[in-house]
Every structure is written in structure tokens, then in C-alpha cells.
Amino acid sequence: MTNSKQPHFKPNNRHVAVLDALSDYKSSEELVERLQAEAVSLSVSEEELVSAYIETIEAVSDNDVEGAAIGIAAIGLTYPDHDSDEYFDACIRIMNLRCPLLRLETESGSSLAAGWQAMAEEMMGMIYDGAERIAAGTVAV
């Protein structure tokens, strides 16, 4: 369920602007207006922002929660000290690899809009819950 383009997705301010524009819009006209305003504020062409829109939609729709949970469970075996920096860094790398929405949050340098932030937090909870279940042997992989 992973997209072959996924590892090449490098979030930037245009992707964050697209997510902001997608938050709570009421009509397609409003979305277009928001995207046009973001293009002006970022000093990019509308074509560049449309490209970022397509990349963002492809990326955030292709999150591999199960793969991330399996990866986190494996990291837990490698780094039994779950408070260590190595464990934390490895978990972030796995989640960024498997879940572009989380990568947008960690690599973009800015916070996601509230709705996307809530989705990212829910996704992280699902990943860690799945990893705990896998590690405890209560879920078959």
C-alpha cells in the first residue's frame, strides 16, 4: 500500500500552504481563491502551487499506518530503551518514510492546520498502539 513516489516527497512551504488552503473551505471557488492567495503570498506561480497541490494530495492519501506500526515494533526490539534519542530518531524516520502526512509535519518546519494536526496525532496514536500490540504478540503480522 505504499506509493513508489512516497520516499521522494520532500515537503516545503508550498505543501503546507496547500494543506492550509484545504482546511475548512466551503466551496471549490473558495479553495481556488485560497490557493491563488497562497501563490501570491509565497511568490510562486499558480502552476507551481497546483503542482504542490497534486503532490500533497497524493502524499497525504498514501499513509501506510500498518507498515509504520511494524517498523516501530521492530525498532522497539532493537532499542529496548524507549526513552533514548536513538529510539526516538529511528521512530521518526520510520513514520516519515511510511506516512507522508507526518513527514509534512516534521520536515516542513511549520505546524499543520488544526484539522490536519488532529489527523496526524490520531495516526501517530494508531501507529504506536499497533506497535505495542505487535510487540505484545496480540496481533498477527
Side-chain angles (χ1 to χ4, degrees), residues 32-53:
V32 169
E33 289 171 8
R34 284 183 178 191
L35 289 172
Q36 288 170 335
E38 291 292 352
V40 170
S41 73
L42 294 171
S43 299
V44 298
S45 70
E46 288 183 17
E47 291 80 20
E48 289 174 298
L49 203 59
V50 168
S51 178
Y53 173 83

Side-chain angles (χ1 to χ4, degrees), residues 2 6 62-69 71 93-101 103 123 127:
T2 59
Q6 207 176 57
D62 196 23
N63 293 288
D64 181 9
V65 173
E66 295 86 5
R93 282 193 309 273
I94 287 292
M95 286 190 282
N96 285 348
L97 178 65
R98 295 292 186 176
C99 301
L101 179 62
R103 186 177 319 133
M123 189 180 306
I127 290 168

Side-chain angles (χ1 to χ4, degrees), residues 62-114:
D62 196 23
N63 293 288
D64 181 9
V65 173
E66 295 86 5
I70 292 167
I72 300 290
I75 289 168
L77 296 172
T78 306
Y79 300 105
D81 178 7
H82 293 189
D83 293 325
S84 73
D85 289 340
E86 293 85 7
Y87 172 79
F88 179 74
D89 291 343
C91 288
I92 295 296
R93 282 193 309 273
I94 287 292
M95 286 190 282
N96 285 348
L97 178 65
R98 295 292 186 176
C99 301
L101 179 62
L102 300 178
R103 186 177 319 133
L104 258 170
E105 180 181 32
T106 59
E107 292 182 5
S108 69
S110 52
S111 297
L112 299 175

Side-chain angles (χ1 to χ4, degrees), residues 108-124:
S108 69
S110 52
S111 297
L112 299 175
W116 296 105
Q117 181 66 38
M119 184 186 287
E121 289 172 5
E122 181 180 352
M123 189 180 306
M124 286 179 63

Side-chain angles (χ1 to χ4, degrees), residues 120-138:
E121 289 172 5
E122 181 180 352
M123 189 180 306
M124 286 179 63
M126 291 170 34
I127 290 168
Y128 280 110
D129 181 56
E132 288 176 12
R133 291 171 181 242
I134 291 167
T138 59

